[in-house]
Amino acid sequence: MNAATSREHGKGAAPNVRISIRSVGMDKPRAWLAAGFEDFRQAMAVSLAYGMFWVGLSVAVTAGAFTLGLWHWLLPLIAGFMFLGPLVAVGSYGISRALEAGRAPNLGDAFGGWKGHAGQLAMMGVMMMIFFLAWIRLATLLFALFFGFEAPSPETLYTSLLTTTDGLMMLAVGTAIGAVLAFGAFTISVVAIPTLMDQDLTFMEGIEASIRSVSKNFRPMLLWAVILTGCVLVGVMTFYIGLALILPVLGHASWHAYEDLVRIEPMEKLKS
């Protein structure tokens, strides 16, 4: 792909722009995390409230699954969170953007920052939902292949997963398939969603910028994907409580990743 892309907006939209992708080093993921922690520190109350909202929602989904006898869906749902995580981070992008504008963020920035570009962000949501539903379908097929169509008891299932050949095989196959799908979702969204939050672009242009960012910086972005996944898993293992800190910090960090990776300039400026 070319190092830069230019486009012409329709009437009433932003001027012609050039989208360039910068190269970054392997040290950048750590710098993004540090910047994310700093944003969290500066807007701790709002960021923590936003993180607690998702913790509460996660607890409600888990309780609902057990109440309805659908507890066996929890593992694929938790794994599927990786596909929806970039959308969850939208509120953190709004908080970071407010900090950069020199004002104190509020809950409106966290829960309403998407409104200016709702249509294009909704299209990205559809794309991420396709990945999520594909994962759920594949997880269902894997479960039926190894355990049949009758859900065993929780004790039987989790014991079988960790102590039997079939269970370990299912975990290995599921992890491999999930990793491929998750990296695909990461590739199209890692900077697409913050780009759409910040610029008057179409969702396809956001996806293109994201793919080019990963392609041009494959090793740093692979490391970033591993860090994001590992941090979310740690948050889940704390019975979701850790996500109250982890989700907003990762969201703030992802905003800074976008700013380091993507440069958007009006064509008029380039001609002058």
Side-chain angles (χ1 to χ4, degrees):
M1 292 186 180
N2 296 329
T5 298
S6 62
R7 56 93 101 200
E8 183 174 344
H9 289 259
K11 183 179 179 181
N16 303 345
V17 296
R18 182 185 184 190
I19 306 172
S20 303
I21 305 301
R22 297 185 179 100
S23 296
V24 298
M26 293 295 290
D27 60 324
K28 274 299 182 179
R30 184 172 63 179
W32 296 335
L33 275 180
F37 273 111
E38 179 60 21
D39 281 4
F40 182 86
R41 187 190 67 79
Q42 292 186 44
M44 187 176 298
V46 177
S47 294
L48 197 58
Y50 187 70
M52 286 302 297
F53 168 80
W54 291 106
V55 169
L57 186 60
S58 299
V59 171
V61 169
T62 300
F66 275 97
T67 300
L68 297 173
L70 300 175
W71 54 268
H72 52 284
W73 282 97
L74 282 178
L75 281 179
L77 285 174
I78 290 171
F81 181 81
M82 302 299 176
F83 302 106
L84 303 179
L87 291 172
V88 170
V90 164
S92 298
Y93 303 155
I95 294 170
S96 290
R97 188 168 58 175
L99 287 172
E100 291 180 354
R103 58 184 181 81
N106 53 48
L107 289 177
D109 295 307
F111 291 98
W114 52 269
K115 291 181 179 178
H117 302 91
Q120 299 305 316
L121 287 170
M123 293 302 297
M124 278 302 304
V126 171
M127 297 294 293
M128 304 310 291
M129 187 60 67
I130 290 172
F131 277 92
F132 178 75
L133 293 176
W135 161 247
I136 292 298
R137 181 59 176 168
L138 288 169
T140 302
L141 292 174
L142 276 176
F143 186 89
L145 179 63
F146 286 94
F147 290 99
F149 293 98
E150 293 294 329
S153 66
E155 297 80 7
T156 301
L157 175 61
Y158 293 116
T159 299
S160 298
L161 282 175
L162 299 175
T163 62
T164 68
T165 302
D166 283 348
L168 293 173
M169 182 64 72
M170 191 187 86
L171 284 177
V173 174
T175 299
I177 293 174
V180 172
L181 282 175
F183 191 73
F186 169 85
T187 299
I188 70 167
S189 66
V190 60
V191 298
I193 296 177
T195 298
L196 295 177
M197 282 275 294
D198 195 42
Q199 301 288 333
D200 181 24
L201 301 174
T202 68
F203 80 100
M204 288 303 297
E205 288 167 327
I207 289 175
E208 181 189 359
S210 194
I211 293 173
R212 289 168 54 210
S213 295
V214 174
S215 177
K216 191 170 185 177
N217 302 280
F218 184 78
R219 291 179 61 210
M221 297 309 287
L222 180 60
L223 175 60
W224 185 232
V226 171
I227 291 172
L228 293 175
T229 302
C231 289
V232 171
L233 288 177
V234 169
V236 171
M237 290 170 64
T238 62
F239 300 99
Y240 307 126
I241 298 301
L243 293 177
L245 168 66
I246 289 171
L247 290 181
V249 168
L250 293 182
H252 297 319
S254 295
W255 176 262
H256 292 284
Y258 147 70
E259 291 190 316
D260 276 346
L261 289 163
V262 181
R263 183 179 183 184
I264 300 178
E265 298 176 287
M267 293 298 288
E268 287 80 358
K269 180 180 177 181
L270 294 172
K271 294 175 182 177
S272 61

